[in-house]
Amino acid sequence: MGVKNLWDILESCKKTLPLHHLQNKRVCIDLSCWIVQLQNVNKSHCAIKDKLYLRGLFHRLRALIALNCSLIFVTDGAIPAIKSSTYRRRLNPGNVLTQDEAIKPSSIRRNAGSEFSRMIKEAKVLGNALGIPCLDGIEEAEAQCAVLNYESFCDGCFTSDSDVFLFGARTVYRDICLGEGGYLLCYEMDDIERKLGLGRNSLITLAVILGGDYSEGVYGLGRESACQIVKSIGDSAVLQWIASEGFSFVKKQKGSKKKIEDDKCNGRENAAEYKNPNGSKCPSQMKSQTLQVLNAYLKPKCHSAESDAVQRILVLYPYIRSQLQQICTEFLDWPPEKTDEYILPKIAERELRRFANLRSTATQLGVQLPLNEMPIKCPLSRIIKPRKVQGVDCFEVSWEEMDGLETSIVPADLVQRACPERILEFQERRVQGKKRNNTRSRRPRLEKMPPLGQIDQKLQDLLLEVDRESSAADGATVLFGSASEDDESIAQIHIDSSIQTHSTWNSYSVKKGFASGSPICQEDDILPALSKAEVIDLTSPPPVRHASGKSKHQEEDNVECIDVIELSDSENDMFSPEHIRRARELRMFIAGIKDKFY
């Protein structure tokens, strides 16, 4: 519990800090307070049977491990003699202490076989598997935490007992909340001294006046009157004053107006009076007890900073994977895979933070070492892709030599501090990937070109089909001119010179000429003529022949320039619709070949 109403007095000094405030810090934990907090979440028998408190403790620890927060468990030892009366009164409300017990109290050993002691043992076993050392206190755990903090062996204490400040603590974390927007409730002694004007000696005096674990306090004085009295005396002289004067100031305050108002606010309108624990009025005994209270806060029974017990907990311990899996299977009914899924990413993140601290220390000492020359190998292998977790920039990374873990997500700022070279490598890979993607998008997808023989065969088939269709159409005739140059009719196939080497046809045109006296050839005359036609070599332009059948070399003297004559609309009407469709198909086929391959 600590000191009555002390948390209310310190309310203005409370700070809410984000979880990452504990990054790279060493903190000690009053394990009893944490177990009580976690147990109060659900007080049902089912919660204790299912060990929800242990599950909550596990998640608290893994969150702090990921921040590279070095943790130290501190447990309670024997109950101090001065606290024995309070302890018995809490166990047996209404029980009146004997005169001997009130005058000569003795320390009490804690019940090691109680349900709460069993829960503490399970928590210690879990912490040991996670590499968290435990310091068993001689008496009060919060007193041992305060000594460690006062001697700068840790950066803060986790406890809900307000008397930790009276033992000398400087930074106290009263509570922790996990999840999205996780935070800490923090109290700094510097803020208490600056804002409230209350030092350690003043807080001890408040404990004597208001009451707490070690004293009943003074009846009839509220927290406001007590604070005014302490501030009026001053922090440096208040302990000496109360040790010499005792509670004589109570009589002076008895008739004051302020005292009466405070009494009414606290529900006590009777005159202020001081009592010892058994209720009898004895100023001399009360003064003696006051000196015991002052001594208990100023000189608590704890392990000294030079003791082996303290030096042992300052060593870093590794987590034991097999032991952790066994504990989680036994206590939480988790398979090994689930345990690894929970803890391994946090362990990896802790290792990366330690590596970042090593590089930062080297930089501060003026040593600039490249990543591959560091004495400790970087645990991060490569960056896979950027991620966003609860609005925070992160990277999905792969790990090196991390047994049981391949990839996980870590904050981007941590990667920047630990290994900026990995970020540069990742950015270079992204740029190269974008260039390849842009090249693919600009270049059309090439399909496999069919063999030239297949193209030639298809062209031949289409041309022959067109000729057959045109000759068989109703009212369509093909006139071949006489051997004379004036009356000749020409059928010419023109091959685009740009694709001659690929044996593809660009276009064709057929001129049908009519001359007087020229014979008309029917379908029966055409087919024999086609069957006797020479095989056309599509790889080179066909030779120009005269109507007489002689080649160009044979009639060099009589060569005339032959032009392709476009068909007029009236001549187009002479072709059947099927002929026109086939011709259009041929043109589309040739155009498609050019578009695909050239």
Side-chain angles (χ1 to χ4, degrees), residues 89-295:
R89 189 167 54 252
R90 289 176 182 174
L91 292 179
N92 301 304
N95 185 27
V96 179
L97 300 179
T98 65
Q99 188 75 9
D100 294 337
E101 291 176 339
I103 297 175
K104 297 179 180 179
S106 59
S107 60
I108 304 174
R109 292 181 60 86
R110 298 184 185 271
N111 185 5
S114 65
E115 182 72 17
F116 188 78
S117 296
R118 182 186 60 79
M119 296 164 67
I120 293 293
K121 290 179 181 178
E122 293 174 352
K124 291 171 63 176
V125 171
L126 177 63
N128 182 62
L130 290 170
I132 301 173
C134 181
L135 177 61
D136 295 323
I138 298 176
E139 289 185 345
E140 298 277 50
E142 65 268 24
Q144 186 67 66
C145 292
V147 170
L148 294 176
N149 185 217
Y150 184 79
E151 297 290 342
S152 300
F153 285 107
C154 66
D155 299 299
C157 315
F158 269 105
T159 183
S160 57
D161 287 334
S162 58
D163 55 359
V164 66
F165 293 105
L166 285 62
F167 291 115
R170 304 296 300 177
T171 302
V172 177
Y173 303 106
R174 184 181 179 186
D175 201 0
I176 179 174
C177 180
L178 304 181
E180 185 176 357
Y183 62 87
L184 306 164
L185 296 183
C186 177
Y187 297 81
E188 297 277 356
M189 195 64 192
D190 293 338
D191 297 334
I192 297 173
E193 294 171 348
R194 185 181 67 257
K195 294 182 179 181
L196 302 179
L198 299 174
R200 180 184 178 186
N201 295 338
S202 299
L203 296 179
I204 293 175
T205 306
L206 288 177
V208 174
I209 298 174
L210 298 176
D213 291 340
Y214 295 168
S215 66
E216 281 292 292
V218 178
Y219 294 112
L221 283 179
R223 60 174 181 265
E224 293 184 4
S225 297
C227 290
Q228 288 182 358
I229 294 172
V230 171
K231 290 180 181 179
S232 64
I233 300 173
D235 186 72
S236 59
V238 67
L239 290 184
Q240 183 179 359
W241 175 84
I242 197 173
S244 59
E245 297 292 334
F247 295 97
S248 59
F249 65 89
V250 176
K251 296 180 179 179
K252 299 177 182 179
Q253 293 285 331
K254 186 174 181 179
S256 66
K257 180 179 178 181
K258 182 64 178 177
K259 170 191 167 296
I260 295 174
E261 292 177 356
D262 289 340
D263 290 341
K264 291 181 179 180
C265 293
N266 288 275
R268 298 187 183 98
E269 300 184 7
N270 297 328
E273 54 186 17
Y274 40 88
K275 297 181 181 179
N276 63 3
N278 64 355
S280 61
K281 301 178 182 179
C282 185
S284 60
Q285 292 181 4
M286 194 63 181
K287 184 176 180 180
S288 175
Q289 186 185 14
T290 301
L291 294 177
Q292 294 178 9
V293 172
L294 299 182
N295 189 63

Side-chain angles (χ1 to χ4, degrees), residues 321-577:
R321 183 185 177 191
S322 58
Q323 183 178 346
L324 181 63
Q325 291 176 345
Q326 181 180 356
I327 292 171
C328 292
T329 301
E330 179 182 354
F331 292 158
L332 305 178
D333 198 23
W334 288 350
E337 295 79 11
K338 185 174 182 178
T339 303
D340 288 345
E341 181 183 354
Y342 275 133
I343 197 63
L344 289 182
K346 305 301 181 182
I347 296 292
E349 186 175 341
R350 180 182 68 179
E351 297 302 318
L352 187 61
R353 291 187 188 277
R354 290 178 177 176
F355 185 81
N357 294 339
L358 178 63
R359 297 202 75 178
S360 176
T361 303
T363 302
Q364 293 175 2
L365 296 176
V367 181
Q368 298 287 347
L369 294 177
L371 189 63
N372 56 355
E373 295 182 8
M374 290 293 295
I376 298 178
K377 191 174 183 180
C378 179
L380 193 150
S381 175
R382 63 190 293 268
I383 298 175
I384 300 176
K385 60 181 177 180
R387 301 287 292 269
K388 206 88 167 178
V389 179
Q390 297 179 356
V392 179
D393 292 330
C394 299
F395 285 119
E396 183 178 348
V397 301
S398 60
W399 300 99
E400 195 161 354
E401 299 180 359
M402 188 64 63
D403 189 21
L405 179 66
E406 295 182 358
T407 64
S408 67
I409 300 175
V410 295
D413 61 339
L414 173 58
V415 180
Q416 178 65 40
R417 289 188 289 107
C419 46
E421 296 86 348
R422 295 285 188 254
I423 298 180
L424 294 177
E425 294 173 1
F426 171 69
Q427 292 174 346
E428 291 176 358
R429 291 198 307 269
R430 292 189 70 180
V431 171
Q432 294 175 0
K434 288 181 179 179
K435 288 182 178 179
R436 288 194 296 267
N437 293 336
N438 292 338
T439 303
R440 293 192 188 102
S441 62
R442 288 195 302 267
R443 182 185 302 171
R445 184 177 179 182
L446 299 179
E447 298 180 2
K448 186 177 179 180
M449 181 183 294
L452 294 178
Q454 293 182 10
I455 298 176
D456 293 341
Q457 184 62 41
K458 189 167 184 178
L459 289 173
Q460 290 281 6
D461 294 342
L462 286 173
L463 290 173
L464 291 176
E465 184 70 20
V466 169
D467 289 337
R468 290 192 190 98
E469 292 287 343
S470 61
S471 61
D474 294 339
T477 58
V478 181
L479 298 178
F480 291 86
S482 63
S484 63
E485 296 177 357
D486 296 336
D487 297 334
E488 74 173 350
S489 64
I490 301 167
Q492 179 184 16
I493 299 176
H494 176 66
I495 302 176
D496 190 354
S497 60
S498 64
I499 57 172
Q500 287 177 3
T501 57
H502 302 284
S503 300
T504 58
W505 295 82
N506 181 39
S507 62
Y508 75 95
S509 61
V510 179
K511 172 69 177 75
K512 296 183 179 181
F514 295 87
S516 59
S518 56
I520 299 176
C521 298
Q522 303 297 332
E523 182 179 359
D524 295 336
D525 299 327
I526 294 173
L527 296 177
L530 290 174
S531 63
K532 297 176 182 180
E534 295 179 358
V535 176
I536 299 175
D537 184 7
L538 297 178
T539 61
S540 61
V544 179
R545 292 183 178 276
H546 194 267
S548 61
K550 296 179 180 182
S551 65
K552 179 179 179 181
H553 300 287
Q554 293 173 344
E555 297 185 1
E556 292 179 354
D557 298 336
N558 298 322
V559 172
E560 292 184 3
C561 181
I562 303 173
D563 298 327
V564 177
I565 303 175
E566 298 293 335
L567 297 175
S568 63
D569 294 339
S570 60
E571 292 171 330
N572 281 332
D573 296 339
M574 300 178 62
F575 294 97
S576 67

